[in-house]
């Protein structure tokens, strides 16, 4: 008796969200199957890769990242080089210098960097905050204004500051809103509901449901993404049908495997290779779990994940 496989194609689908303008704009989401299940239905919008750059420059970056940007003397040149990285689809500017517990840059200083980057590139842009909810409320609201007309994604609105960021990005300046929650399907859904109640259209919302580097409680990330995609597709839950973006670079390059020097841990091998391994394995894992876009920073990681996506979609 012949085996007739059951299709995993669903009637529901993930929302399609467009970021950027013109020919280089990207679309994420839109699929009605589980990640990489192209044998059940075509996946029109392959997962996308972003390259993270920082308003703090290159001083604290791994050697391979510094080498890639060698010769760049301004944020505009760094952004252009990031946009040209083989395998990259968009650029992510992290305004980490605004962190009150770090450099504590003013919003005006950060906006000067943002304006320089916005004017320098023609690829889609993601603007990432400093992870301080109070500072981000001011910072990202102003970023939505400065980048007006560029259809950028503002990461990220949280439960504590979603009103100001969501209203500015999703309503006043017609940008895309990133909804960030902490690896919990109920929190992710609740934040999506709150943002929608502001009047932000679902087609203007992208989720960051949280992540961790592989080996660091990563099973919670996998189970959360699996549950989100299952609820969105098999249950048709419209409040969880937003595509997912995952900032991988920060998590991967802050692990002890990436930080410990070869002198301190000679048995672990080359330090930079370890960081690349953490970044690649984490990115591959979140993509397999349901992420529609990942944010990386090492050229080797970007090239590796780009090749993986091309093979699977």
């Amino acid at each position: 008796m012949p085996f007739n496989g059951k299709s995993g194609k669903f009637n529901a689908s993930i929302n399609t969200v467009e970021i950027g303008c013109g020919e280089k704009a990207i679309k994420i989401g839109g699929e009605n199957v589980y990640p990489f299940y192209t044998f059940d239905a075509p996946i029109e919008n392959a997962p996308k890769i972003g390259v993270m750059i920082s308003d703090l420059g290159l001083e604290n970056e791994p050697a391979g990242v510094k080498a890639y940007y060698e010769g760049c003397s301004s944020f505009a040149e760094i952004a252009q080089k990031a946009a040209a990285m083989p395998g990259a689809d968009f650029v992510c500017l992290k305004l980490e210098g605004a962190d009150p517990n770090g450099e504590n840059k003013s919003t005006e200083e950060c906006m000067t960097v943002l304006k320089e980057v916005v004017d320098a590139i023609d690829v889609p842009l993601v603007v990432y905050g400093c992870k301080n909810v109070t500072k981000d409320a001011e910072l990202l609201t102003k970023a939505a204004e400065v980048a007006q007309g560029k259809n950028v994604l503002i990461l990220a609105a949280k439960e504590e500051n979603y009103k100001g960021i969501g209203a500015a990005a999703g309503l006043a300046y017609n940008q895309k809103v990133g909804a960030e929650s902490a690896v919990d399907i109920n929190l992710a859904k609740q934040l999506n509901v709150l943002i929608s109640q502001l009047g932000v259209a679902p087609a203007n919302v992208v989720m960051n449901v949280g992540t961790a580097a592989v080996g660091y409680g990563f099973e919670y990330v996998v189970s959360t993404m699996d549950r989100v995609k299952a609820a969105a597709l098999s249950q048709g839950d419209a409040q969880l049908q937003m595509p997912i973006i995952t900032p991988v670079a920060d998590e991967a390059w802050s692990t002890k495997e990436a930080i410990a020097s070869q002198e301190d841990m000679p048995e672990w091998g080359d330090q930079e290779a370890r960081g690349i391994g953490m970044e690649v394995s984490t990115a591959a894992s979140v993509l397999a779990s349901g992420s529609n876009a990942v944010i990386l920073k090492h050229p080797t990681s970007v090239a590796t994940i780009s090749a993986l996506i091309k093979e699977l979609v």
Side-chain angles (χ1 to χ4, degrees):
M1 181 173 184
F3 170 75
N4 295 314
K6 184 179 180 181
S7 173
K9 179 181 177 180
F10 297 96
N11 292 325
S13 63
I14 304 301
N15 299 338
T16 299
V17 176
E18 184 170 345
I19 305 169
C21 303
E23 294 181 356
K24 294 188 178 180
I26 59 171
K27 293 181 179 179
I28 60 174
E31 73 275 11
N32 63 343
V33 293
Y34 286 133
F36 300 120
Y37 275 43
T38 53
F39 40 80
D40 284 329
I43 295 177
E44 182 177 350
N45 301 315
K48 301 299 189 292
I49 302 172
V51 178
M52 179 175 283
I53 59 175
S54 169
D55 69 326
L56 294 181
L58 301 168
E59 182 179 351
N60 298 319
E61 299 297 352
V65 174
K66 289 180 179 178
Y68 177 78
Y69 293 103
E70 187 176 2
C72 295
S73 58
S74 67
F75 289 110
E77 291 177 349
I78 291 172
Q80 289 169 347
K81 189 78 171 179
M85 187 177 292
D89 300 295
F90 63 93
V91 171
C92 174
L93 173 63
K94 184 179 181 184
L95 300 173
E96 60 184 324
D99 187 353
N101 297 313
E103 294 288 323
N104 196 26
K105 287 184 177 182
S106 68
T107 296
E108 289 71 24
E109 288 178 279
C110 293
M111 293 306 102
T112 299
V113 176
L114 174 59
K115 186 67 165 60
E116 187 175 345
V117 170
V118 166
D119 291 342
I121 60 175
D122 59 357
V123 301
L125 178 65
V126 172
V127 183
Y128 198 23
C130 66
K131 296 188 176 181
N132 179 286
V133 292
T134 303
K135 191 67 174 282
D136 277 351
E138 174 188 337
L139 186 70
L140 296 179
T141 298
K142 187 65 176 178
E145 178 186 353
V146 169
Q148 188 173 9
K150 298 296 184 178
N151 191 27
V152 304
L153 170 61
I154 302 292
L155 278 182
K158 301 180 181 179
E159 187 173 2
E160 299 90 339
N161 60 17
Y162 77 91
K163 290 183 179 178
I165 297 173
L171 300 176
Y173 301 109
N174 198 30
Q175 314 283 20
K176 299 300 185 290
V177 181
E180 181 176 339
S181 52
V183 197
D184 184 297
I185 185 173
N186 296 312
L187 294 177
K189 181 173 180 176
Q190 176 181 321
L191 184 54
N192 289 342
V193 170
L194 292 172
I195 291 174
S196 70
Q197 288 175 346
L198 288 176
V200 180
N204 290 333
V205 178
V206 176
M207 291 187 288
N208 172 13
V209 300
T211 190
V214 289
Y216 288 82
F218 193 73
E219 64 273 16
Y220 292 103
V221 177
V222 173
S223 62
T224 298
M225 288 191 179
D226 283 347
R227 291 177 66 197
V228 167
K229 289 296 183 180
L233 295 175
S234 65
Q235 299 172 25
D237 191 333
Q239 295 297 343
L240 288 170
Q241 289 174 346
M242 294 74 171
I244 297 173
I245 188 169
T246 308
V248 170
D250 277 353
E251 297 290 340
W253 289 96
S254 62
T255 61
K256 61 184 179 183
E257 289 84 357
I259 292 174
S261 69
Q262 194 165 353
E263 289 74 22
D264 291 336
M265 302 297 295
E267 66 273 24
W268 285 6
D270 181 75
Q271 180 182 350
E272 187 164 355
R274 286 185 256 124
I276 294 169
M278 292 299 293
E279 190 169 41
V280 168
S281 54
T282 302
S285 298
V286 296
L287 289 171
S289 301
S291 187
N292 298 95
V294 291
I295 299 172
L296 313 175
K297 68 179 178 182
H298 200 288
T300 301
S301 303
V302 172
T304 302
I305 293 300
S306 176
L308 173 71
I309 292 170
K310 289 176 181 177
E311 287 292 326
L312 294 178
V313 176

